Amino acid sequence: MAAENSLPTVNRRDLDFQLFEHLEIGSLTARPYFADHDRATMTAALDTAQAIAVQHFQTHNRKADLNEPQFHGQTVHIIPEVRAALDQFVNAGFMAAHRSYDEGGQQLPWTLLQAAFTCFNAANIGSIGYAFLTIGAANMIAAFGSPEQKKRFMQPMFEGRFFGTMCLSEPQAGSGLADIRTRATPVSNSPASSNAPGVDGSLGSAYRISGSKMWISAGEHELTENIVHMVLARIAGAPAGVKGISLFIVPKRRVEADGSLGPRNDVQLMGLNHKMGFRGTTNTLLSFGEQGDCIGYLVGEPHRGLDYMFHMMNEARIGVGLGATSLGLAGYLYSLDYAKQRPQGRAPDNKDPASKPLPIIQHADIRRLLLSQKAAVEGALALCLYAASLVDRIHTAEDEGEKKRLSLLLDMLTPMVKSWPSEFCLEANKQAIQVLGGYGYTRDYPVEQYYRDNRLNPIHEGTHGIQGIDLLGRKMLMQGGAGARLLFETIAADILRARGLPDCAAWAEELDGALARMMTATAAMLPAAKDGRISLYLANATLYLDAMGHLAIAWMWLRQAMVAARRLPDATGDDVAFYRGKLAAARYFYAYELGRLDHWLPLLARLEPATLEMQAAWF
Amino acid sequence: MAAENSLPTVNRRDLDFQLFEHLEIGSLTARPYFADHDRATMTAALDTAQAIAVQHFQTHNRKADLNEPQFHGQTVHIIPEVRAALDQFVNAGFMAAHRSYDEGGQQLPWTLLQAAFTCFNAANIGSIGYAFLTIGAANMIAAFGSPEQKKRFMQPMFEGRFFGTMCLSEPQAGSGLADIRTRATPVSNSPASSNAPGVDGSLGSAYRISGSKMWISAGEHELTENIVHMVLARIAGAPAGVKGISLFIVPKRRVEADGSLGPRNDVQLMGLNHKMGFRGTTNTLLSFGEQGDCIGYLVGEPHRGLDYMFHMMNEARIGVGLGATSLGLAGYLYSLDYAKQRPQGRAPDNKDPASKPLPIIQHADIRRLLLSQKAAVEGALALCLYAASLVDRIHTAEDEGEKKRLSLLLDMLTPMVKSWPSEFCLEANKQAIQVLGGYGYTRDYPVEQYYRDNRLNPIHEGTHGIQGIDLLGRKMLMQGGAGARLLFETIAADILRARGLPDCAAWAEELDGALARMMTATAAMLPAAKDGRISLYLANATLYLDAMGHLAIAWMWLRQAMVAARRLPDATGDDVAFYRGKLAAARYFYAYELGRLDHWLPLLARLEPATLEMQAAWF
């Protein structure tokens, strides 16, 4: 295997294509928030990300996999390369690069940063996880925290001095947040007074937190001086279910008014989870308030915790989609290199065993395995960055109607953005192994790790099944179907544009037909939702999600093909092959993948009830 | 996690169903070879297998995964539980149970033994691999070796004193056997004379072997006193390509005329391969003749080595299919148990958060994940055992025409038997993880290991792509298409039977339609083969393989459904639910899986050339 820092994990030409040709993020600089930026500053940020990812993250990806975090009684030992790499990330200013100047940020577009972050994900998804979780948690405090909470917790997070976590799941309640049991008791009602040691009224309402949280990534480590847990808990007397959940800031160590660290809060590590992959990120079971002395501060209003989480959900789910995409990309690029170099076998019509074996990239089935990966990862990247570009456009929209419209579109797309890459870029990793054959199955080559790492993505941040229910049960029905109409109209507008381009017109027709059939199938399903047959309506929600995902990726390929077709006539040098590759991948997706709708749509349209009618005793 | 020996890895009711109801192997006892057996003796063999598998193999499956074989300079250390378990297998007589009484066997049907072996595969596929490889190698000597070779090597293998390996691949030639470089030089032409020490003329023509062999499972260990390598090598002056490959017996230690062990032969372990899964089976890179002193004995005639290997291939590939199926089964049964016990979430139309959470098996998407697994593993098991039953019927056929007909049918089915379970029971293992959610992704639960273990199966014994080329390029064309016609007629005959059963008639119609479309697509492809457009004809061979596999599994579900439909009216007790489960799984496969042909067949029929026309530079 090649030296780790020479692994091909970045396709910079494609990142540039997505950002500056497909999504034209250069146009964002016309907006005041981004006015100080131009292509040069954005390119510099990409260059920096790429260099740090390759030199500091990629170099210990395998080592972190082979040496997962160890719990030694009091502390969790993590190999030192993780901290060193994260220092580079922090020092380059990436933690707050998207935030305003006021907050110490650089006001860089979120889209640009998401593209840059694919370099870290592809290089070492386990190590970079600590930073991404922290950014997410800090963004939540930025959105809903008080000024003092921001100063005391958010600011050190954006400075990389504290890291953060999200504490949602509990051992008995994974996807079922309605059943979380972690309790929050107002300090004034508890034996201790509000002047109890460690309670600081300036941070807002103080509560004693008690309960267990499961699957907490980055839940314990010594990478930073403090860890800020964003904890969902139920205040005594709150309504049952998800409407009685509140959000709390629960630091590992208390923070004094001057920002100095106080004593430990009562948060205990109960155990590490040992995962198939993603081993670099500690994953923990945490216990809050075992000694009755865990103080948490309410964020925002009581009982609105899940709303706040959902507010951040779109961005978190784009992050998962991009992580899955990045692992798919790393596997694709590695197997592509391998296929170009490995000689084996001959053309089917060559009967001369004395002739030289061909590089395996010459075999049709290897090309299929590579094209399938390319179509998946570049299609997924286009979709994730498209969604990220909506975040930027929403954030800086001056027109309220436009903001609402784009927010609705983003809400619609998010289930596919999270789940399509998680499912189909995992499949791409499986194909990367297949290209390498026996070698791919060994731990001497990186592709088996990508496959193990990527298997997490259909599970966390809302399982694949949960995403389907979110799409069909919530998003398709919200605002009387306005979101669905907007999504379909947005796709249709691109189809109309593509019809005018000779190289793309046939795909435009195919997508138009697929869109019409998707709408017909949806229309056949909706009466079940409207007349209360909800279980039947949702029975095949996962397949509906996959079908909508395929439609969205076909749409992204049409968009990419339009750019390629327009630019190809004037292209020179390597760009010619690059644009031809885009057109070939679009062709592959339409020829080999879009046809899956012919399988899915009939069973969706007829509201196939076979799974509902199955009885537990018959298995 | 439950104690390992209580993991649910055996579905005995289904094994009995497949053997005695679906395949009616009881009827084999009318044949002289099996005349001493009856249902009682066969049941006893299954009982023994199940007990040994659960008590001796299953108990160290995880330990073997966590403690893979280690190379300590001279020897390979393997945890002692492996040897202890294999002793139980050997002592129970399973090594030679299929062989004749003359050979020390029990003349048990191969079908019965393959069913019994699923218990070992599901319990611990890594440890049992040593025995299965040995049976395969010994069977090869039984078929093509000389009497003295049988006495000196085969007999100790069937006694479990020696283990065996298959040495085909080389580091530079994995799937491309035409390019193997291992050399065999007749001893008389070499510096040493034919009376050289260690050369024994009574074992046949002696050769000095030199070369490297890669991916050799069980290539080095101390489990037995000797290892017998079956090595493909090229005799100097042999024709180029696969027609110049010969087969040799190359023992790790030489064996004297009296059966006692002589000195070591010159076979060196160059390294262990470290795999993602299947870690219990040592996998090695071996060097033969580094010191110029590696003696091998020719098996059969020169240059016929690949013919001999192919002769054993059907059985070896049934073995892979069954291994993949068994891992799928273990994952299915575990996730089924989990789904029955894990409470989480509520019905979609239940808005009362105070109501009790449901066991997750009540959720439609979990049922889909379970039904999909059930349909895959029980369909695959039916197909593999159907193929095994052909082996028994061929072996004991008294009519030469019948023997030829069944051999042709087995040749046709083998690519699907090997590859469908490898692909779709791996998918089942992915679904088993999904049922467990985050827990399934941890190494505290067995499903992640099944998934890692099963990822090997689409790679070894002919990759998935190689199977497609075998099916479309060889099997579909052989004997002027007679094999294809026989397969299609055999399926059609079952369709005709099923039409007479009201409960199965609709599926019979669907399968009839699918069969007709498969034949139409095939007919559209064949002209390309006939007029020399071989690359185009084979471009989508893997998809053709998947489509034929789906057709074959649909056929197997129709056969199982017929049995269930006939027996249900008179069934009592647990059998009622069992037969209803069979009908429900058949329904699932027809509703959710057979429709994939609607996606695959159009692109097959049009000889889609997108992968052929892709250029390496465009990736």
Side-chain angles (χ1 to χ4, degrees), chain A residues 326-353:
Chain A
S326 305
L327 290 167
L329 176 69
Y332 164 56
L333 295 175
Y334 193 90
S335 63
L336 174 60
D337 261 21
Y338 182 90
K340 287 178 176 170
Q341 290 165 26
R342 169 80 176 177
Q344 190 162 279
R346 289 161 190 79
D349 50 5
N350 175 357
K351 300 292 180 204
D352 177 12

Side-chain angles (χ1 to χ4, degrees), chain A residues 342-347 350-360 362-363, chain B residues 178-179 181:
Chain A
R342 169 80 176 177
Q344 190 162 279
R346 289 161 190 79
N350 175 357
K351 300 292 180 204
D352 177 12
S355 61
K356 268 181 67 176
L358 295 172
I360 61 173
Q362 297 301 331
H363 300 310
Chain B
D179 292 309
R181 294 183 193 146

Side-chain angles (χ1 to χ4, degrees), chain A residues 68 170-176 178-179 214-215 240-242 272-279 332 336 340 342-349 353-355 357 361-362 364-365 367-368 370-371 374 423 426-427 430-431 433-434 437-439 441-444 448 451-456 458-459 463-465 532 534-535 538-540 542-543 577-578 580-582 584-585 587-588 590-593 595-596 598-599 603 606 608-619, chain B residues 68 170-176 178-179 214-215 240-242 272-279 332 336 340 342-349 353-355 357 361-362 364-365 367-368 370-371 374 423 426-427 430-431 433-434 437-439 441-444 448 451-456 458-459 463-465 532 534-535 538-540 542-543 577-578 580-582 584-585 587-588 590-593 595-596 598-599 603 606 608-619:
Chain A
E68 65 184 333
E170 300 182 359
Q172 84 293 347
S175 299
D179 293 309
M214 186 57 162
W215 310 124
V242 295
L272 299 182
N273 295 309
H274 299 285
K275 295 164 293 173
M276 174 162 60
F278 240 94
R279 294 190 185 181
Y332 164 56
L336 174 60
K340 287 178 176 170
R342 169 80 176 177
Q344 190 162 279
R346 289 161 190 79
D349 50 5
S355 61
I361 199 169
Q362 297 301 331
D365 197 53
R367 288 218 200 122
R368 182 183 64 81
L370 293 170
L371 261 173
K374 180 179 168 75
E423 187 73 14
L426 171 63
E427 182 70 17
K430 186 177 122 192
Q431 294 169 326
I433 292 175
Q434 198 69 15
Y439 292 102
Y441 190 65
T442 69
R443 309 203 296 282
D444 296 325
E448 69 87 31
Y451 181 61
R452 284 187 290 107
D453 287 350
N454 221 349
R455 182 63 189 85
L456 177 61
I459 298 173
T463 65
H464 203 64
I534 301 293
S535 292
L538 292 177
N540 298 300
T542 307
L543 300 190
F578 177 80
R580 286 205 188 282
K582 284 286 175 196
R587 177 185 178 188
Y588 175 87
Y590 279 83
Y592 284 78
E593 288 295 331
R596 289 204 190 193
D598 297 338
H599 166 216
L603 75 87
R606 70 173 181 257
E608 173 60 49
T611 58
L612 278 188
E613 293 171 12
M614 178 71 180
Q615 302 295 311
W618 299 351
F619 279 103
Chain B
E68 66 184 334
E170 300 182 358
Q172 84 292 349
S175 298
D179 292 309
M214 186 58 162
W215 310 123
V242 295
L272 299 182
N273 295 310
H274 299 284
K275 295 165 293 174
M276 174 162 58
F278 240 95
R279 295 190 184 180
Y332 164 56
L336 174 60
K340 287 178 176 172
R342 169 82 175 176
Q344 190 163 282
R346 289 162 188 80
D349 49 6
S355 60
I361 199 170
Q362 297 302 331
D365 197 53
R367 288 218 199 121
R368 183 184 64 83
L370 294 170
L371 261 173
K374 179 180 169 74
E423 188 72 16
L426 170 63
E427 181 70 18
K430 187 177 121 191
Q431 294 169 326
I433 291 174
Q434 198 69 16
Y439 293 102
Y441 191 64
T442 69
R443 309 203 295 284
D444 296 326
E448 68 88 30
Y451 181 61
R452 284 188 290 107
D453 287 350
N454 220 350
R455 182 63 189 86
L456 177 60
I459 297 172
T463 64
H464 203 64
I534 301 292
S535 291
L538 292 177
N540 298 300
T542 307
L543 300 190
F578 178 80
R580 285 203 190 283
K582 283 287 176 196
R587 177 184 178 189
Y588 176 86
Y590 279 82
Y592 283 80
E593 288 296 330
R596 288 204 191 193
D598 297 337
H599 167 218
L603 75 89
R606 70 174 180 257
E608 172 60 48
T611 58
L612 278 186
E613 292 172 15
M614 178 69 180
Q615 303 295 312
W618 299 351
F619 278 104

Side-chain angles (χ1 to χ4, degrees), chain A residues 103-134:
Chain A
E103 296 164 309
Q106 301 171 42
Q107 300 195 176
L108 272 164
W110 183 247
T111 318
L112 183 274
L113 290 168
Q114 292 300 300
F117 289 177
T118 64
C119 302
F120 296 100
N121 276 323
N124 186 332
I125 201 164
S127 291
I128 197 62
Y130 296 97
F132 292 170
L133 280 163
T134 301

Side-chain angles (χ1 to χ4, degrees), chain B residues 314-364:
Chain B
N314 289 338
E315 290 166 43
R317 289 177 173 174
I318 294 171
V320 173
L322 271 169
T325 302
S326 305
L327 289 166
L329 176 69
Y332 164 56
L333 295 176
Y334 193 90
S335 62
L336 174 60
D337 261 20
Y338 182 90
K340 287 178 176 172
Q341 289 165 25
R342 169 82 175 176
Q344 190 163 282
R346 289 162 188 80
D349 49 6
N350 175 359
K351 300 292 179 206
D352 176 12
S355 60
K356 268 180 67 177
L358 295 172
I360 61 172
I361 199 170
Q362 297 302 331
H363 300 310

Side-chain angles (χ1 to χ4, degrees), chain B residues 380-394:
Chain B
L381 184 63
L383 182 65
C384 292
L385 294 179
Y386 181 92
S389 77
L390 294 177
V391 174
D392 279 323
R393 289 160 66 196
I394 292 162

Side-chain angles (χ1 to χ4, degrees), chain B residues 470-489:
Chain B
D470 179 46
L471 174 64
L472 194 58
R474 235 177 113 244
K475 303 293 175 63
M476 293 302 291
L477 303 177
M478 67 184 178
Q479 300 179 28
R485 283 192 298 279
L486 174 59
L487 174 60
F488 293 149
E489 285 163 13

